[in-house]
Amino acid sequence: MTRDDLLTLTPDALAALANRGLVKRAAKALDAGTVPDVEIGEDGTVRGRFDDGVTAALPPDADLQEASCSCAASGVCRHRIGLVLAYQRQFGEQRADEASAPFTPWSPGSVDDDSLTALYGAPAVAAARRTLTAGFPARLIRPTPADPVARAELRSCTVRFLVPGEVRYAHTDAADAARHEMVVLAVWAFRAADERGLDADDVRLDVGGGPQGSAAAPGSGPGLSSAVALADELLLDGALHAGAVATASLRRAARELDKQGLRWPAAALTELVEQLDAYRDRTAQHRPERLAALLTELHARHRAAANGGDSPRSRVLGSDEPAETPLRRVRLTGLGCRIGGGDTGRTAELFLAHPDSGTVLVLRKHWPVPEDEERPPTGAQLAARRLGGVPLRTLATGQVVTESASRSASRVVRLASSRVARTSVTPLGGSQDWERLPASVTAPDLATLERQLAGLPPKLIRPRVEAELVRAVPVAEVHTIGYDPGDQRLDAVIADAEGTTALVSATYDSASPAALDCLAAALAGDSGTPRYLSGLVHRSGGRITLRPLAVLTDDGPVLPDLAPGDGTTDLDAAPEDGQGSYDPVDDALHTALAACADAAHHGLRHVPPGVRRRLGDAAAPLSAVGLHTAAELVRALSKALAEGDPDGMPNAWVEAQLRLLTTAELR
């Protein structure tokens, strides 16, 4: 570790290489006057002798883990951290002029393979090359004056280059067995971006694999084409006429796509089969609009992968390497939970922010209902159930530090039950714990969140990752709170400090009967002034809408889905001039989408005259609100249905659905 490297290690970088507690402890000792005697050898080694007789040495060719210390600690210890901090305090001012010099951009891709082999060993480089041959997706965050740390987000971990110009101090949350391989892959990802001239601050690309670095799985391959053909047959016959043979064919196609590594189309097909099973069993999980959206998604991914475009094919089709990566010691921040399920069981989804990667992970647990119990438990009854040895309510809003976690490519995290002792949870320290999270998790304001949403590709072709749009947003004021008894829905309008508003909307669910009562009370300030609200974000009616998970107030976090009670509190009715007011654009889109979904439900070969009339009638409102292209596509669909062309009908339906769904999402 060179002397220049020592001066560039910030407290956050040291905390990443060790842990925040050691950094605080070492800094506190220095502030109290326990300062080691620092010497610099002729070879550049920085040595320090502490009052307790311990000596530590930081050679120029070693990192903190490889540095030596005479204490009994097996890894990075407070003495090594203390020596770094002492050196910075003693010699940092001598470099003040250089520290204030203009920012110099750099890329980890500038490191050659010989240097990588010398640092991380031939086995790690060989393992990384196998992954490179198959191809992998990456997101690269280049260093800037505001944030000089280069970052690579890989499938199942994040690699951060803490010292500019030096990859030796790269930090990753992957476990030790895969750590070196992940750093090599991150360097190669930056190198690939550099070679292609992708120099934006935030870059997404495919690395390795086929030509131009595309993923190995071809978007127009026979597997996906066959699956789309099966979807068209289902579209022609409809859920109403789909039999066991059609369902079995779709299920086999999903397995085949998964074998080919086309994970997102395979997941869409699997969900499509679940919709057909739900319709056959007459359960509430079947929704014609969802079935129609899944059919459209298969076509959208097929087209996007075949035609190219801005999104790398791996992000359209899914990773070709099913993997669950063990994580090193990681810190996660609870953002709340959601309780769901039906008569056969309950599922808890806990949303945990991972600050180092700027993402949100999902911890999921399902409890089936025993045969001797009449009804499944409510969220309040599940609150004390344990995951990884920790109560559900504690995990949902705590600061989690664990060494027993694994993370999948779809951002699902799992805690190994056999290593419970290596997971600890502390309560949130207040709103500052959410405020310190990256902007990709906690939006500084609603306008920033709106810009983030506007920059995303359409949902139909985005990666099917969990908790993609879970965010925590600041609450400066609650304008209205109202309950719609017809829809059993509570709506509230919140505003940030700039006055930008968003809609908070929650619907009654028997899995958490008191959730609406609890949410209304929290937003009204009964549990302290609300400061932040976490939720699943989407756009509806031209504005940001959140499905709430937790409210962080002055008195602590509130979890509506785990609230006790039977949901019998009288709630104030929604104001007449509130969010429930008529929106002609939203109404026109909803009417057209409902008619298209009804056509798919009956089957395009079997659409009754009433549905055809509804499609024809849906075009006029679209034109009236200025959506002329959508109106023309709906008219073309109505005409194709009247002509009965088995080739033209599916294409006309897909064209109309693509336009309507993307317009509804992006308006």
Side-chain angles (χ1 to χ4, degrees):
M1 180 173 291
T2 67
R3 296 172 61 188
D4 288 348
D5 293 340
L6 291 178
L7 295 174
T8 60
L9 287 173
T10 65
D12 285 341
L14 289 171
L17 294 171
N19 64 67
R20 199 165 297 277
L22 280 180
V23 176
K24 290 182 177 179
R25 184 180 177 188
K28 186 176 181 180
L30 292 179
D31 292 339
T34 307
V35 180
D37 294 328
V38 180
E39 298 178 354
I40 302 173
E42 294 182 359
D43 61 351
T45 298
V46 177
R47 294 183 174 84
R49 179 178 295 277
F50 292 80
D51 290 348
D52 56 4
V54 172
T55 58
L58 304 173
D61 59 348
D63 59 22
L64 277 179
Q65 192 72 32
E66 298 165 341
S68 64
C69 183
S70 62
C71 74
S74 58
V76 178
C77 60
R78 65 180 178 87
H79 299 100
R80 277 174 264 198
I81 298 294
L83 179 55
V84 173
L85 295 177
Y87 177 84
Q88 290 177 344
R89 294 187 181 191
Q90 184 171 342
F91 296 96
E93 292 186 1
Q94 298 177 12
R95 305 280 301 207
D97 293 339
E98 293 187 25
S100 61
F103 170 75
T104 302
W106 78 284
S107 171
S110 60
V111 180
D112 59 37
D113 287 355
D114 289 341
S115 299
L116 292 175
T117 303
L119 283 171
Y120 301 116
V125 174
R129 197 167 298 282
R130 289 192 292 271
T131 302
L132 179 69
T133 301
F136 64 94
R139 178 190 181 192
L140 309 179
I141 309 297
R142 293 189 180 275
T144 64
D147 183 4
V149 175
R151 188 167 81 240
E153 295 180 10
L154 305 180
R155 283 193 184 99
S156 300
C157 70
T158 299
V159 179
R160 295 189 296 158
F161 297 91
L162 302 175
V163 176
E166 178 56 73
V167 301
R168 181 191 302 274
Y169 309 109
H171 174 266
T172 174
D173 46 16
D176 289 341
R179 185 169 69 91
H180 291 168
E181 177 188 349
M182 295 300 111
V183 175
V184 174
L185 290 175
V187 170
W188 286 347
F190 273 100
R191 185 186 302 169
D194 297 342
E195 292 172 350
R196 297 179 211 171
L198 304 176
D199 55 1
D201 291 345
D202 190 334
V203 175
R204 298 178 188 270
L205 75 162
D206 286 326
V207 186
Q212 301 301 318
S214 60
S220 55
L224 186 52
S225 298
S226 299
V228 169
L230 287 173
D232 282 347
E233 283 300 313
L234 174 61
L235 182 57
L236 288 167
D237 289 336
L240 196 62
H241 303 94
V245 174
T247 303
S249 297
L250 291 168
R251 190 174 280 114
R252 283 195 300 271
R255 290 196 296 267
E256 184 61 30
L257 291 180
D258 193 56
K259 290 179 183 177
Q260 295 180 26
L262 308 181
R263 306 182 98 196
W264 307 152
L269 269 184
T270 300
E271 191 177 346
L272 192 59
V273 170
E274 292 172 353
Q275 282 291 313
L276 293 176
D277 289 343
Y279 176 71
R280 182 197 61 214
D281 298 336
R282 301 296 190 267
T283 67
Q285 278 68 42
H286 173 73
R287 293 185 293 117
E289 293 83 358
R290 184 56 187 159
L291 185 140
L294 291 167
L295 290 170
T296 311
E297 179 184 344
L298 285 167
H299 277 274
R301 293 189 185 278
H302 182 240
R303 293 185 184 189
N307 298 334
D310 294 335
S311 294
R313 285 196 292 176
S314 63
R315 294 184 62 78
V316 173
L317 300 178
S319 154
D320 61 353
E321 181 180 308
E324 185 176 76
T325 301
L327 301 178
R328 302 175 72 195
R329 190 175 189 269
V330 294
R331 179 173 58 88
L332 307 172
T333 301
L335 293 177
C337 73
R338 177 173 59 182
I339 303 296
D343 295 336
T344 59
R346 287 282 185 257
T347 299
E349 292 180 313
L350 280 74
F351 299 90
L352 304 167
H354 186 204
D356 288 348
S357 64
T359 59
V360 179
L361 309 179
V362 178
L363 177 62
R364 184 178 289 116
K365 175 66 176 178
H366 179 74
W367 291 276
V369 178
E371 294 182 358
D372 57 347
E373 293 187 12
E374 295 184 0
R375 61 183 63 184
T378 65
Q381 293 168 327
L382 294 174
R385 301 277 182 98
R386 291 180 174 268
L387 298 180
V390 182
L392 181 63
R393 68 164 68 90
T394 305
L395 271 176
T397 54
Q399 293 280 15
V400 183
V401 178
T402 180
E403 297 179 4
S404 63
S406 296
R407 170 187 164 180
S408 75
S410 58
R411 298 182 187 170
V412 174
V413 67
R414 182 175 60 86
L415 297 181
S417 58
S418 60
R419 301 165 72 184
V420 170
R422 306 184 75 175
T423 297
S424 62
V425 183
T426 56
L428 289 177
S431 60
Q432 65 271 16
D433 285 339
W434 282 10
E435 186 177 348
R436 284 196 293 258
L437 293 172
S440 56
V441 176
T442 297
D445 53 66
L446 292 170
T448 299
L449 179 57
E450 175 62 33
R451 289 192 293 271
Q452 291 175 357
L453 296 179
L456 294 173
K459 183 179 180 180
L460 291 170
I461 60 171
R462 288 206 301 269
R464 275 178 156 251
V465 296
E466 305 285 346
E468 177 196 22
L469 291 178
V470 169
R471 297 288 189 275
V473 300
V475 179
E477 187 177 358
V478 179
H479 286 175
T480 61
I481 305 172
Y483 177 67
D484 184 337
D487 292 335
Q488 293 187 297
R489 188 185 72 247
L490 183 76
D491 288 339
V493 177
I494 62 173
D496 62 14
E498 303 300 321
T500 307
T501 61
L503 175 69
V504 180
S505 185
T507 304
Y508 175 84
D509 191 327
S510 60
S512 47
L516 301 188
D517 302 349
C518 176
L519 176 63
L523 292 176
D526 293 356
S527 304
T529 303
R531 299 300 182 187
Y532 278 90
L533 184 141
S534 65
L536 290 85
V537 180
H538 67 282
R539 280 183 292 196
S540 177
R543 76 187 305 173
I544 295 175
T545 302
L546 296 97
R547 193 285 196 192
L549 298 170
V551 181
L552 191 56
T553 74
D554 288 340
D555 293 343
V558 177
L559 297 168
D561 277 22
L562 301 185
D566 54 10
T568 58
T569 302
D570 290 332
L571 298 173
D572 294 335
E576 293 183 1
D577 59 346
Q579 178 63 21
S581 59
Y582 175 72
D583 182 344
V585 177
D586 190 58
D587 184 70
L589 289 168
H590 176 77
T591 299
L593 284 168
C596 287
D598 209 4
H601 176 73
H602 285 87
L604 302 185
R605 289 193 183 104
H606 313 285
V607 174
V611 175
R612 284 203 298 271
R613 284 194 299 271
R614 285 175 55 203
L615 279 168
D617 295 342
L622 291 170
S623 292
V625 296
L627 301 177
H628 301 295
T629 302
E632 287 302 318
L633 291 173
V634 170
R635 290 191 187 99
L637 171 58
S638 181
K639 180 181 178 181
L641 293 177
E643 295 173 350
D645 179 6
D647 294 326
M649 289 188 295
N651 184 65
W653 185 91
V654 170
E655 292 291 341
Q657 272 282 114
L658 284 170
R659 171 66 63 165
L660 292 168
L661 284 173
T662 52
T663 301
E665 178 189 0
L666 302 177
R667 58 170 292 231

